[in-house]
Amino acid sequence: MKKITWMLVVALLLGLAMTPTALASDGEEEEVIDERYGKPKVVLGEALSDSDKDKVRELLSATNPDQVEEYTVTAEDLVNYIGGDPSSNMYSSAKITRKDEGHGVVVQVVNPENITQVTNEMYANALLTAGVENALIEVASPLKVTGHSALTGIYKAFNVDGESLDKDRMEVANEELDVATDLAEDAGIDQEKVSELLSEIKREISEQNPATKEDVERIVSEQLDQLNIELSPEDREMLTNLFEKMRNLDIDFGQVADQLEGIVSDIQGKLDEVTGEDVEGFWQGVKDFFQNLMNSIKGLFN
């Protein structure tokens, strides 16, 4: 009987160790509004039904209307911001929370199973090109969509209350997102590899300050070789033309490069945030915990 009792105690301890969140409060912690930047902005796709909008509000933790400012992104916005197709349907939505200087642009697709083409890093890269800085941006959709319309919604959030993003930069950023998804879908390049390629080209442009299209083409070729990426001549030209447009916009790539570090270290940063330490140390701690626990269990039966 004593042996069975100890086994039950051990099973309970193991259950608690594996499910620490079970002890957390069931109530949702109310988000604190940063008065320096105002309420987070939630932008919902116009094509969503009322029930779909409710799902998005839940996904974005934006169910309390007193805690957010809500907008609707329309096909008209698509035309105004990037000269897009006025017959487009807008589904993907976003929540934008302004952050302090140095935070960078951090994008989190909260239900990536429904955003089929655009990754966190693709969004972040494009938004840096558009001139967005220091913000946490969460993207969601209740339906399976490519994710492109979320970018226009984010633009809208940054073009209210007297703010204004440059239209030419927004258009090029949208083109960048199209190029990124085309390379991933049509050229068969891994999505993370595409984001790495775009980030490294921007980094090199910031360092080398190319003066001609030929210089841009050389940088593109160098980074393709560096990352062992094979592209068709047409795709190489598409990349070169994209970054030549950026060069002609006179974007401060030095400033963009500073915030690119956040994209490069995003995955590592999320792990560190969860564990509070380096990943190797975290897993060593887990290993040590269970080794000590098993040693204790063995001692009970000796």
Side-chain angles (χ1 to χ4, degrees):
M1 184 67 181
K2 181 178 179 181
K3 182 176 181 179
I4 294 174
T5 300
W6 276 113
M7 290 179 69
L8 290 172
V9 171
V10 169
L12 177 61
L13 288 172
L14 283 171
L16 291 174
M18 296 301 291
T19 58
T21 56
L23 297 179
S25 171
D26 290 335
E28 290 186 6
E29 183 177 345
E30 189 173 24
E31 186 174 349
V32 176
I33 298 172
D34 191 329
E35 294 177 307
R36 294 169 296 176
Y37 306 117
K39 299 176 183 178
K41 295 178 175 64
V42 173
V43 187
L44 303 175
E46 180 185 33
L48 297 177
S49 66
D50 289 341
S51 62
D52 286 337
K53 289 178 181 178
D54 287 339
K55 290 178 184 177
V56 170
R57 292 185 185 103
E58 291 178 4
L59 287 167
L60 296 175
S61 299
T63 56
N64 185 346
D66 294 330
Q67 293 291 311
V68 298
E69 293 180 9
E70 190 173 292
Y71 303 88
T72 299
V73 60
T74 67
E76 183 179 352
D77 293 322
L78 187 69
V79 174
N80 290 338
Y81 294 129
I82 60 173
D85 184 353
S87 64
S88 298
N89 290 319
M90 314 296 282
Y91 291 101
S92 44
S93 307
K95 177 182 177 183
I96 298 90
T97 306
R98 303 296 295 269
K99 295 293 183 179
D100 291 337
E101 185 74 27
H103 180 275
V105 175
V106 177
V107 180
Q108 296 174 356
V109 178
V110 300
N111 60 335
E113 68 277 5
N114 277 4
I115 305 292
T116 63
Q117 289 188 5
V118 188
T119 65
N120 297 338
E121 292 77 20
M122 288 179 185
Y123 278 126
N125 251 317
L127 290 169
L128 287 177
T129 299
V132 173
E133 297 180 357
N134 302 309
L136 169 62
I137 296 167
E138 299 159 277
V139 179
S141 174
L143 309 170
K144 284 191 177 297
V145 295
T146 62
H148 288 77
S149 68
L151 201 62
T152 303
I154 297 165
Y155 290 161
K156 183 166 187 173
F158 278 88
N159 280 276
V160 296
D161 299 333
E163 296 182 273
S164 180
L165 296 176
D166 182 80
K167 184 172 182 179
D168 289 335
R169 289 185 63 166
M170 287 189 288
E171 290 180 353
V172 172
N174 193 69
E175 183 177 340
E176 177 182 345
L177 195 64
D178 289 340
V179 168
T181 54
D182 284 347
L183 290 177
E185 293 289 316
D186 300 334
I189 303 174
D190 182 80
Q191 290 176 320
E192 286 71 24
K193 202 72 171 177
V194 171
S195 294
E196 183 181 13
L197 173 64
L198 297 176
S199 298
E200 292 302 327
I201 292 174
K202 288 179 183 177
R203 193 199 304 270
E204 288 302 313
I205 288 177
S206 72
E207 293 180 358
Q208 298 186 34
N209 191 24
T212 66
K213 181 176 180 179
E214 288 70 25
D215 292 334
V216 173
E217 185 175 18
R218 174 181 50 77
I219 290 173
V220 169
S221 295
E222 289 173 351
Q223 292 311 304
L224 287 170
D225 293 341
Q226 185 74 25
L227 297 173
N228 296 314
I229 296 175
E230 293 287 341
L231 288 183
S232 67
E234 293 78 14
D235 286 338
R236 282 175 173 262
E237 181 68 15
M238 177 174 66
L239 264 180
T240 300
N241 289 339
L242 171 66
F243 284 100
E244 173 65 4
K245 287 182 181 179
M246 291 187 195
R247 185 184 71 83
N248 287 331
L249 289 178
D250 197 26
I251 295 174
D252 184 352
F253 277 100
Q255 188 174 15
V256 171
D258 290 340
Q259 302 218 8
L260 277 174
E261 299 300 326
I263 299 176
V264 175
S265 62
D266 185 50
I267 295 176
Q268 181 67 53
K270 288 177 183 176
L271 285 171
D272 289 347
E273 185 178 21
V274 171
T275 65
E277 57 185 352
D278 65 277
V279 177
E280 183 178 352
F282 169 71
W283 288 114
Q284 184 61 48
V286 172
K287 180 180 178 181
D288 291 344
F289 170 81
F290 282 104
Q291 184 62 56
N292 292 335
L293 184 60
M294 293 309 296
N295 289 339
S296 299
I297 293 171
K298 290 178 183 178
L300 294 174
F301 299 104
N302 289 336

